[in-house]
Amino acid sequence: MCGIVGYVGSEQAAPILLDGLARLEYRGYDSAGIAVVSPRHELQVKKTVGRLRALSDLVHGGADVEGTIGMGHTRWATHGAPNDVNSHPHVSENGKFAVIHNGIIENYVELKEFLISQGVTFRSETDTEVVAQLLEFYYNECGDFFESVGRVLRRIEGAYALGMLCADCPDRIIAARKDAPLLLGFGEGCSFLASDATAIIKHTRDVVYMDDGEIAVLTRGGIQLYNAMQQPIEKEHHHIEWEVSAAEKGGYPHFMLKEIMEQPDALRHAIAPRLRGGEIVFDDLKLTPEKIRGFDRIFIVACGSSYHVGMVGKYNLEHLLRRSVEVALASEFRYSDPIVDDKTLVIIISQSGETLDTMAALREAKKRGAYILSIVNVVGSSIARESDDVLYTWAGPEIAVATTKAYSTQLAVLDMVGLCFAKLLGTVKEEEYADAVRELALLPDKVKETLGHCEDIQKYAAQHFHHESVFFIGRNLDYALGLEGSLKLKEISYIHSEAYASGELKHGTISLIEDGTLVIALGTYGPLFDKAMSNVIEVKARGADVLALTTESHRNEMAKTVDHVLTIPDTAAMLLPSLGVVPLQLFSYYIALQRGCDIDKPRNLAKSVTVE
Ligand code: F6R
């Protein structure tokens, strides 16, 4: 989704802004722009629809816009088509104020009508322009930039991460946040603003995450933070641990492939510190055993792939805990009048920790008294900070829009939560627990072994990339796995695909199977292998071209019916999707590669969905 970067220091701002925006490219965008204050205190605004390359060409890599203070933005259109005029920064009528904005100003129509009635002329169709025009309006009243910002913030409703420049105050950027991520970076004689640490990590690791209602004034001499009452406040600084190289391709053609290949390490980081002497130990969990025993309802709430982690989790947690677990899409949960009270545990899953629907669901559950345990990748993100408890996945930055290593680590952490709670509640057999813990320790190596089948998968992708419709079928954990396999395929290759519970085929879907239809049959879950085979036979009989995924121990059995078989190593049943997802990620990747798709930045998608 939209990206923000800001800089004030002694170096030329434009190249720093362009580099920062390039590092935010992965979030998805359709236009980009920068505003730099010139040494003569004039605002220079350059923006264009299309890729960053176009913006960089427009300003000759930054050489055309002289100045040591500025802001940059990548826009993902919501209000108004992606075009030059609607791109950010937006400038007020007299050219004195520039604004960049992530989020949506919900009452912009009313504000726009008010400003038009005051004689203001608008240029764009965006909600953001009202912020620039309002700033000018209030500045004309009070003559003070900071005071004008306060007045604007009291008028606007909705979600925002804002960066604001005023030509009359050429030494400062003012930033404000509500319901959209924004962080501040502290450098030597310089200050930074960013929607995502990736944009500024090259320059500083010393950051402060802004909270809702806060305002910041960035100057060369440092950053002063204020609360919503505009009173100065002090906040804890965070040190970003990961390396710049983690956000670079490191020789891989795509971030997605790099992140698929990083899964053994990512899993090691997520699992190893939490395994001790054959036990699962969460040093980072505040929940007490009494509290865990007191929960009578469990929800898992998330979006997209994180929701698919929840689908696998439902099977595993219900089996382990012997209590019902509901999985809900955050966008539905938040408006569903959910049955949640102080005996409810709500597990929130999010890679970015900023997904707006997930955040809103968290707040809804919290309002109703639930205990919030979140599983999050991005340290210090909004969801992490608003949860009662947070378990980080430690996967490192995930850049490709399609999630891979975040999915795997979320799943491992959720499985560990299930096992840990089950042990405490006495609902899991000793042998099953011990076996799962042993297999968890082996999981990174088994994922590595699975990655070794890359060439086979590439070969199948070359045979199948022309299909326009694909079906994933499976039962139980394999059904949940199929949901993720299908999403991966459609989002990056644009092939229509659906995942079905195999038992449902004969209730309607099987009518879609005809000669040559590609069916990916998932048969990794041992207890239902025979049932899975019956469904494979059913679709084969109707002419389907079946590519099967099973465990090594079932390979021969599967190969009797199906021509193409991919395998994963055997493991504890609950961990099968953690291995099974790897060939499906690779299959989608290679299919998208064959079809010449923009793999890391699929059309219409954004990495972090901070609008509803
Ligand atoms: C798909 C994908 C998305 C995200 C979803 C939730 O590959 O990445 O479906 O899983 O947008 O995002 P987070 O986990 O950041 O809340």
Side-chain angles (χ1 to χ4, degrees):
M1 210 120 281
C2 308
I4 282 180
V5 60
Y7 169 78
V8 47
S10 53
E11 292 179 43
Q12 286 302 307
I16 294 174
L17 300 175
L18 290 170
D19 178 72
L21 291 179
R23 289 169 193 277
L24 294 177
E25 262 196 304
Y26 75 95
R27 295 171 66 99
Y29 69 102
D30 43 52
S31 51
I34 54 172
V36 174
V37 184
S38 78
R40 291 165 304 286
H41 303 173
E42 287 152 357
L43 269 181
Q44 310 162 88
V45 175
K46 303 284 177 190
K47 50 190 193 174
T48 178
V49 73
R51 290 287 174 211
L52 265 179
R53 174 101 238 143
L55 177 66
S56 182
D57 289 348
L58 186 71
V59 295
H60 295 100
D64 288 1
V65 270
E66 200 190 339
T68 54
I69 173 168
M71 315 181 299
H73 188 265
T74 43
R75 174 176 188 249
W76 192 83
T78 55
H79 291 60
N83 60 32
D84 293 356
V85 178
N86 289 334
S87 314
H88 300 210
H90 287 283
V91 177
S92 67
E93 212 174 0
N94 67 5
K96 276 196 177 169
F97 292 91
V99 173
I100 53 175
H101 166 221
N102 289 357
I104 292 174
I105 306 298
E106 283 166 4
N107 59 339
Y108 84 102
V109 175
E110 169 202 325
L111 293 172
K112 193 167 175 173
E113 281 169 1
F114 162 74
L115 287 163
I116 290 171
S117 76
Q118 301 297 308
V120 175
T121 307
F122 279 78
R123 292 188 196 94
S124 76
E125 304 157 277
T126 66
D127 52 327
T128 304
E129 192 183 344
V130 297
V131 178
Q133 304 290 15
L134 261 190
L135 271 173
E136 179 183 314
F137 179 81
Y138 286 124
Y139 190 75
N140 287 340
E141 274 183 7
C142 70
D144 182 84
F145 184 20
F146 188 62
E147 172 55 26
S148 307
V149 169
R151 291 185 190 191
V152 169
L153 297 182
R154 287 192 285 278
R155 290 279 321 248
I156 58 176
E157 288 164 18
Y160 49 80
L162 287 167
M164 294 162 277
L165 279 171
C166 171
D168 286 350
C169 306
D171 65 335
R172 61 198 51 211
I173 300 173
I174 300 188
R177 166 198 157 126
K178 182 174 166 280
D179 292 337
L182 202 56
L183 61 93
L184 306 165
F186 295 75
E188 294 270 314
C190 56
S191 303
F192 298 87
L193 175 68
S195 50
D196 178 330
T198 325
I200 59 169
I201 175 130
K202 191 171 152 190
H203 307 283
T204 180
R205 290 164 177 279
D206 181 12
V207 301
V208 161
Y209 297 100
M210 288 182 74
D211 280 305
D212 283 352
E214 289 175 355
I215 307 168
V217 178
L218 292 82
T219 61
R220 291 176 182 86
I223 303 175
Q224 178 61 58
L225 262 154
Y226 298 85
N227 62 18
M229 319 300 290
Q230 292 183 271
Q231 293 154 335
I233 51 167
E234 295 295 326
K235 283 190 70 171
E236 187 194 347
H237 285 221
H238 290 261
H239 184 77
I240 297 173
E241 301 290 346
W242 46 269
E243 295 301 321
V244 183
S245 60
E248 289 170 350
K249 282 189 199 149
Y252 284 94
H254 296 99
F255 279 111
M256 185 178 177
L257 186 60
K258 176 182 179 238
E259 287 159 7
I260 290 173
M261 295 300 174
E262 277 173 356
Q263 288 179 109
D265 281 343
L267 282 164
R268 220 165 267 124
H269 288 139
I271 298 171
R274 291 161 172 152
L275 289 186
R276 233 168 283 150
E279 297 291 338
I280 292 168
V281 186
F282 284 113
D283 289 331
D284 41 355
L285 198 69
K286 291 188 227 132
L287 259 178
T288 59
E290 298 69 54
K291 189 92 185 152
I292 295 170
R293 285 191 196 98
F295 291 131
D296 62 10
R297 200 171 295 131
I298 300 175
F299 276 95
I300 303 177
V301 183
C303 300
S305 292
S306 299
Y307 168 78
H308 295 156
V309 169
M311 288 294 289
V312 175
K314 176 182 168 68
Y315 287 106
N316 284 341
L317 267 60
E318 285 192 337
H319 167 72
L320 289 166
L321 304 175
R322 304 315 304 145
R323 30 186 97 181
S324 98
V325 176
E326 274 191 57
V327 192
L329 291 163
S331 53
E332 290 295 317
F333 177 91
R334 60 184 290 196
Y335 297 120
S336 67
D337 193 8
I339 304 172
V340 167
D341 58 23
D342 59 0
K343 290 213 170 77
T344 310
L345 170 66
V346 173
I347 302 177
I348 297 278
I349 307 180
S350 177
Q351 186 286 127
S352 61
E354 301 294 349
T355 303
L356 189 99
D357 280 324
T358 312
M359 186 71 200
L362 179 160
R363 288 181 178 163
E364 184 60 38
K366 211 169 176 182
K367 201 169 79 195
R368 291 169 188 246
Y371 190 91
I372 312 292
L373 165 61
S374 64
I375 299 177
V376 172
N377 191 37
V378 177
V379 177
S381 55
S382 306
I383 288 175
R385 283 179 294 138
E386 289 201 22
S387 301
D388 297 304
D389 242 320
V390 53
L391 294 173
Y392 284 115
T393 46
W394 304 120
E398 192 177 64
I399 308 291
V401 164
T403 183
T404 51
K405 62 177 180 173
Y407 173 96
S408 303
T409 50
Q410 287 167 349
L411 192 50
V413 173
L414 184 60
D415 285 340
M416 291 174 90
V417 168
L419 283 164
C420 172
F421 288 10
K423 179 84 188 257
L424 193 112
L425 298 171
T427 48
V428 61
K429 293 200 187 80
E430 270 303 326
E431 318 82 79
E432 187 179 355
Y433 177 84
D435 179 51
V437 171
R438 210 170 23 249
E439 286 296 328
L440 267 167
L442 296 173
L443 193 60
D445 287 338
K446 291 195 174 183
V447 166
K448 194 166 182 185
E449 190 181 330
T450 310
L451 288 167
H453 300 310
C454 229
E455 276 180 22
D456 279 351
I457 299 167
Q458 202 166 357
K459 188 182 81 196
Y460 292 134
Q463 288 164 9
H464 293 297
F465 73 93
H466 55 276
H467 283 273
E468 285 310 326
S469 192
V470 177
F471 297 91
F472 288 75
I473 60 169
R475 288 171 180 264
N476 195 278
L477 289 173
D478 282 328
Y479 166 51
L481 170 63
L483 292 170
E484 177 58 7
S486 170
L487 178 62
K488 279 289 85 78
L489 184 67
K490 67 186 122 194
E491 69 180 322
I492 61 166
S493 73
Y494 317 141
I495 295 177
H496 169 252
S497 108
E498 299 296 339
Y500 295 107
S502 308
E504 271 295 293
L505 284 176
K506 54 189 160 303
H507 298 291
T509 326
I510 203 159
S511 65
L512 293 168
I513 307 291
E514 54 188 5
D515 248 2
T517 305
L518 179 60
V519 173
I520 316 255
L522 306 172
T524 70
Y525 185 58
L528 293 178
F529 181 78
D530 292 343
K531 302 273 178 206
M533 284 309 298
S534 318
N535 298 123
V536 170
I537 291 164
E538 272 167 20
V539 293
K540 284 274 310 168
R542 282 149 183 92
D545 196 354
V546 180
L547 173 58
L549 178 72
T550 188
T551 52
E552 272 151 21
S553 58
H554 284 106
R555 170 185 257 285
N556 293 343
E557 195 57 31
M558 185 62 96
K560 285 182 194 158
T561 313
V562 170
D563 306 324
H564 311 308
V565 185
L566 286 167
T567 58
I568 54 171
D570 287 272
T571 185
M574 64 179 289
L575 302 181
L576 286 162
S578 294
L579 293 177
V581 76
V582 174
L584 302 186
Q585 295 165 344
L586 284 167
F587 185 69
S588 303
Y589 173 79
Y590 286 119
I591 292 251
L593 193 66
Q594 289 278 349
R595 291 167 72 99
C597 299
D598 190 353
I599 294 181
D600 285 338
K601 296 187 279 290
R603 69 185 179 208
N604 305 336
L605 289 176
K607 182 65 182 163
S608 171
V609 184
T610 48
V611 292
E612 195 172 346

